[in-house]
Each structure stands twice: as structure tokens, then as C-alpha cells.
């Protein structure tokens, strides 16, 4: 069995996984060829598939005590879940690590835009609305501007809330890291837990497998939170820049909506005046 390339696992854990999976398959006097796993290699793509195969083999095994089967399957499914937890945590950690480079660059870009002078006030013509536009055309343009303004107001509210949450995030991260480190100590102590002398080897192997994957997942979570903490300041700066950019855009959209509303109101008032004048002339 080739254990050279097992994703998200240390060399030690790769050896453990390979050994324990083989032990699970071969224990209880069941031949390897009966379970069709002889020569199966754990590669970077099939760790989850290997665990699924172990689950299917245990489910199909004849002559296995029902309670033992249930407990073995619980351990295997836990190992499967912990593998996914570690994959997710590793991806998140990589994302946070990448923001150490990407966030400062985006913050500089946004701040440069914010340092520029405000554009000249918009006019009806600069908005692409003809001076002789009908009331319906003005109302359509106003509806579009109002929709854009509402979207920007929502974006600004969300960014403001994110900034508030992120300000207090470091304290929560440190607490979470400390909690996970205590969990790791407890998991390490469980390695030496005494087992019943008559406990089937398949159950021991399944327990060890689940424990190893749980410890790996916890290490990955600690790393994720450490990377989040390390990148906190640059990500907070970026959020604040995005919030300020959204606030500036909101002001401009408010001015646009106000301009179109005034034009629409004037057009509507003129139409009403014309209608009244026509009605008076018709009565004369």
C-alpha cells in the first residue's frame, strides 16, 4: 500500500491511516481477498473513498457482532467527517494567509479612489436622459436610480455590520484557539486510554483511526484561527475601505435619485398645468 501521498496528513498520520485501514479490513479472521481490498493504494484523491470502502466492508461483513458493527461504523463515519473538517479548515487557512497579500493591495486601490476629488455634479443630460424626455421616461430612470440606491444602502449596512463584528473578533479567536489546544491535550491523553482485553481488534483500530483524524482536524482548525488572527488587521483595513467607498457611492446615488425625482416632479407638474389650461380653454 502506497502511503506516500495522503492529502492533508503528516507522514506519521499517513502510516497510521494505512495501517489502521488494513487492520480494519483484515481483523476478525477475514481474508483480504474476501473484501477485495488487496493492493489498494491511498493516494491524494481517494482517502475519503478508502474510508467509504471500509464502511461498506464492515456493513457487509458476516458474523460480526451487531454492537461491534455499530460502534465500528460510528468511528469510521466520525473519521470521515473529521477528514472533511480538516479539508475545510485547511482551505480557510489558505484563504486567510492569501489575504496578507491581497487585502493591502485592495485597500490601497480603494483609498486612492477615495482620495480623488468628487466628480462634477450630474445633470439630466449626463445621465443619458434627453431634455425633452417624457414623464414616463423620467419615472423609469428614477425607478432604476432608486433601485441602485437601495442596493448600495444595503451593501453599506452589511459592510458596517461586518466592521463592527471584525473589531471584536481577535478576542473570540484567542478564546477559540485556547479551547482547541485544551481539546488537543485531552485527545492526546485518550491515546493511552486502557481498552478492554477482550475488545475486538477491529474496534480498537476504528477508534484509533477516528482519534487520529480528530486530532488532525483540530490542528487544522487551530491553524485556521491563527491565520485568521494573523491577517485580521489587513482584512479589517480592507473592510473599512470598502465601507467608506460604499458610503461615498451612496451619496452620489442619492444625488442622482434626487435630480431625477426633481425632474420627474417638474415634468408631472408641467403636465398637470397644461391639462388644467387645456380644460379651461375648452370651457371658454
Amino acid at each position: 500500500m502506497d502511503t506516500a501521498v495522503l492529502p492533508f496528513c503528516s507522514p506519521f498520520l499517513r502510516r497510521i491511516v494505512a495501517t489502521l485501514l488494513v487492520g480494519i479490513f483484515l481483523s476478525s479472521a477475514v481474508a483480504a481477498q474476501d473484501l477485495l481490498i488487496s493492493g489498494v493504494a491511498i493516494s491524494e484523491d481517494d482517502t475519503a473513498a478508502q474510508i467509504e470502502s471500509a464502511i461498506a466492508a464492515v456493513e457487509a461483513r458476516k458474523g460480526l457482532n451487531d454492537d461491534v458493527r455499530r460502534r465500528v461504523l460510528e468511528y469510521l463515519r466520525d473519521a470521515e467527517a473529521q477528514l472533511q473538517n480538516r479539508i475545510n479548515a485547511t482551505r480557510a487557512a489558505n484563504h486567510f494567509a492569501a489575504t496578507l497579500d491581497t487585502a493591502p493591495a485592495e485597500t490601497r486601490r480603494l483609498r486612492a479612489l477615495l482620495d480623488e476629488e468628487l466628480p462634477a455634479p450630474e445633470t439630466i443630460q449626463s445621465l443619458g436622459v434627453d431634455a425633452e424626455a417624457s414623464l414616463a421616461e423620467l419615472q423609469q430612470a428614477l425607478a432604476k436610480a432608486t433601485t441602485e440606491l437601495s442596493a448600495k444602502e444595503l451593501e453599506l449596512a452589511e459592510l458596517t455590520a461586518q466592521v463592527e463584528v471584525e473589531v471584536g473578533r481577535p478576542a473570540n479567536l484567542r478564546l477559540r484557539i485556547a479551547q482547541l489546544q485544551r481539546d488537543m491535550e485531552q485527545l492526546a491523553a485518550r491515546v493511552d486510554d486502557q481498552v478492554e482485553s477482550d475488545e475486538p481488534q477491529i474496534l480498537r483500530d476504528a477508534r484509533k483511526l477516528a482519534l487520529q483524524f480528530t486530532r488532525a482536524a483540530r490542528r487544522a482548525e487551530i491553524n485556521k484561527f491563527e491565520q485568521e488572527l494573523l491577517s485580521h488587521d489587513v482584512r479589517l483595513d480592507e473592510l473599512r475601505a470598502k465601507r467608506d467607498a460604499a458610503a461615498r457611492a451612496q451619496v452620489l446615488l442619492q444625488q442622482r435619485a434626487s435630480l431625477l425625482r426633481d425632474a420627474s416632479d417638474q415634468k408631472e407638474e408641467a403636465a398637470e398645468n397644461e391639462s388644467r389650461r387645456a380644460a379651461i380653454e375648452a370651457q371658454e
Side-chain angles (χ1 to χ4, degrees), residues 2-273:
D2 177 12
T3 61
V5 194
L6 180 63
F8 308 111
C9 294
S10 66
F12 172 75
L13 185 53
R14 287 197 293 267
R15 291 194 296 272
I16 289 291
V17 172
T19 300
L20 294 178
L21 283 175
V22 171
I24 289 172
F25 285 131
L26 301 184
S27 60
S28 300
V30 178
Q33 59 268 27
D34 292 339
L35 296 176
L36 302 177
I37 54 88
S38 180
V40 173
I42 298 178
S43 73
E44 62 179 7
D45 297 321
D46 68 357
T47 304
Q50 287 287 333
I51 298 177
E52 282 292 333
S53 296
I55 290 173
V58 172
E59 288 175 334
R61 177 169 297 176
K62 296 180 180 180
L64 189 62
N65 178 277
D66 287 343
D67 183 62
V68 171
R69 187 194 311 277
R70 176 185 60 78
R71 293 168 66 188
V72 169
L73 290 173
E74 286 177 355
Y75 285 129
L76 289 175
R77 290 186 176 115
D78 182 51
E80 187 176 43
Q82 295 301 334
L83 172 63
Q84 189 59 53
N85 288 341
R86 182 171 188 186
I87 291 171
N88 293 341
T90 300
R91 288 173 178 165
N94 291 339
H95 167 73
F96 287 128
T99 61
L100 288 169
D101 293 324
T102 60
E106 178 64 8
T107 299
R108 288 192 297 270
R109 185 188 71 82
L110 291 171
R111 289 299 176 195
L113 293 175
L114 289 168
D115 288 340
E116 294 178 357
E117 292 185 5
L118 287 171
E122 293 178 321
T123 64
I124 292 296
Q125 289 74 22
S126 69
L127 292 176
V129 179
D130 188 270
E132 300 302 321
S134 66
L135 176 60
E137 291 172 329
L138 286 171
Q139 289 176 334
Q140 183 178 9
L142 175 59
K144 180 175 180 294
T146 301
T147 299
E148 292 175 349
L149 175 58
S150 296
K152 188 59 64 176
E153 288 173 340
L154 178 60
E155 178 187 353
L156 177 58
E158 290 175 347
L159 287 168
T160 300
Q162 289 176 32
V163 168
E164 292 176 355
V165 170
E166 199 64 32
V167 167
R169 182 66 173 159
N172 294 331
L173 289 173
R174 294 186 181 96
L175 287 174
R176 185 64 179 132
I177 290 170
Q179 179 184 353
L180 286 169
Q181 289 172 337
R182 289 192 296 271
D183 289 349
M184 287 292 293
E185 293 173 358
Q186 294 173 357
L187 289 171
R190 287 173 54 188
V191 173
D192 300 323
D193 283 351
Q194 296 295 317
V195 297
E196 299 176 10
S197 59
D198 61 345
E199 183 179 69
Q201 186 62 43
I202 188 173
L203 186 55
R204 298 184 189 185
D205 291 342
R207 180 188 297 110
K208 290 178 182 178
L209 182 66
L211 180 59
Q212 291 296 332
F213 272 100
T214 299
R215 294 176 67 187
R218 294 296 182 274
R219 283 193 293 270
E221 287 182 85
I222 290 172
N223 181 55
K224 177 189 72 174
F225 290 130
E226 288 176 340
Q227 292 298 324
E228 184 179 355
L229 186 59
L230 184 63
S231 62
H232 171 266
D233 288 350
V234 296
R235 290 184 296 102
L236 179 57
D237 287 344
E238 181 185 14
L239 271 177
R240 284 171 169 156
K242 287 181 177 180
R243 177 201 58 193
D244 295 346
R248 174 168 172 166
Q250 180 192 36
V251 171
L252 295 176
L253 287 170
Q254 286 173 335
Q255 293 174 350
R256 177 182 300 176
S258 178
L259 175 67
L260 289 167
R261 188 176 295 105
D262 289 344
S264 177
D265 289 346
Q266 291 173 7
K267 179 71 70 170
E268 185 174 14
E269 183 179 0
E272 290 175 351
N273 291 337

